[in-house]
Amino acid sequence: NAGVTQTPKFQVLKTGQSMTLQCAQDMNHNSMYWYRQDPGMGLRLIYYSASEGTTDKGEVPNGYNVSRLNKREFSLRLESAAPSQTSVYFCASSEALQRYYEQYFGPGTRLTVT
Amino acid sequence: AQSVTQLDSHVSVSEGTPVLLRCNYSSSYSPSLFWYVQHPNKGLQLLLKYTSAATLVKGINGFEAEFKKSETSFHLTKPSAHMSDAAEYFCVVSDSSGTYKYIFGTGTRLKVLA
């Protein structure tokens, strides 16, 4: 099993450009998440999908959109990138959005916006 | 509202000496608590989790943590540090007020000296 995979691993964008970060999991998990990691701030939740067909905002959703394409895939889109979106982005999944289930994380995407 | 505080942003230990990484949480409900490790340029890996069973939780690579409700703490320990333990460690509380989303601490960077 590959677990949680993310593409691309690295990306450089100019301000105003758009891009989509891709995430897929092969563990048959119901819930998926997008986080951003900034120095000294831990991880912050951008959006999550409790189950296929549902998405909800997290702590820092502004400037992002998501699509739960199917049970396996959950993409994050930046419509008009800004330098403040320079960060490392992690996708995660869990069996369900319940207290007993841990989240499994992908390797991350390092995004720089100039 | 739930929150988690990691009391030290950096910890240095010598190889072979004990490791203590401190975490305090705030929760109005019975929390689920997790410790994750992140090696440089990698994703997050689960070390251990507490979900209201035994208060002393054993994890991978010799780590353990004790849930102390009276002190609202969930400190991570290891009897003897290895060079390979050098990484960033995150304490996480699961928001048990209904959504079970993760709330991350800001991380503790562990340095292991030869």
Side-chain angles (χ1 to χ4, degrees):
Chain A
N1 286 353
V4 179
T5 57
Q6 294 182 236
T7 55
K9 286 187 167 52
F10 302 92
Q11 184 71 48
V12 178
L13 292 178
K14 295 187 189 304
T15 297
Q17 288 184 319
S18 62
M19 78 162 295
T20 300
L21 282 64
Q22 306 287 353
C23 174
Q25 52 91 8
D26 62 1
M27 296 174 281
N28 200 34
H29 284 171
N30 290 296
S31 302
M32 298 185 73
Y33 315 82
W34 276 106
Y35 293 90
R36 60 178 288 171
Q37 182 179 29
D38 301 295
M41 300 188 73
L43 274 72
R44 293 180 293 168
L45 183 64
I46 304 171
Y47 271 94
Y48 67 102
S49 172
S51 60
E52 188 179 356
T54 70
T55 60
D56 285 287
K57 295 178 180 179
E59 185 184 353
V60 287
N62 290 347
Y64 305 94
N65 285 300
V66 291
S67 295
R68 183 75 183 264
L69 304 168
N70 48 53
K71 191 172 185 180
R72 289 187 64 248
E73 298 173 289
F74 189 40
S75 63
L76 178 72
R77 183 160 178 84
L78 287 69
E79 292 289 353
S80 179
S84 61
Q85 295 178 304
T86 293
S87 188
V88 182
Y89 291 85
F90 288 99
C91 178
S93 71
S94 65
E95 189 166 339
L97 192 56
Q98 294 292 333
R99 60 178 292 182
Y100 299 106
Y101 297 119
E102 65 266 32
Q103 294 181 21
Y104 295 81
F105 287 81
T109 295
R110 292 184 176 274
L111 175 66
T112 301
V113 183
T114 62
Chain B
Q2 277 80 358
S3 65
V4 60
T5 301
Q6 291 184 244
L7 297 162
D8 305 292
S9 58
H10 293 82
V11 170
S12 291
V13 300
S14 297
E15 192 176 19
T17 63
V19 176
L20 170 64
L21 305 182
R22 299 183 294 164
C23 173
N24 286 109
Y25 70 91
S26 169
S27 176
S28 303
Y29 305 88
S30 296
S32 292
L33 293 155
F34 307 82
W35 275 100
Y36 281 82
V37 61
Q38 184 182 29
H39 288 95
N41 300 314
K42 300 287 187 186
L44 280 73
Q45 180 186 17
L46 179 70
L47 280 176
L48 49 81
K49 67 178 181 181
Y50 166 79
T51 56
S52 78
T55 56
L56 182 62
V57 181
K58 293 187 185 300
I60 61 171
N61 300 334
F63 284 95
E64 61 181 40
E66 186 171 8
F67 173 72
K68 292 187 176 181
K69 186 174 182 179
S70 60
E71 299 176 11
T72 60
S73 69
F74 190 58
H75 301 335
L76 182 70
T77 61
K78 183 174 181 178
S80 176
H82 294 175
M83 297 298 289
S84 60
D85 294 328
E88 187 147 26
Y89 292 79
F90 292 96
C91 183
V92 180
V93 64
S94 175
D95 178 356
S96 51
S97 64
T99 61
Y100 303 110
K101 292 179 288 187
Y102 272 12
I103 297 165
F104 280 80
T106 51
T108 298
R109 186 165 296 278
L110 176 65
K111 187 174 182 179
V112 182
L113 307 170

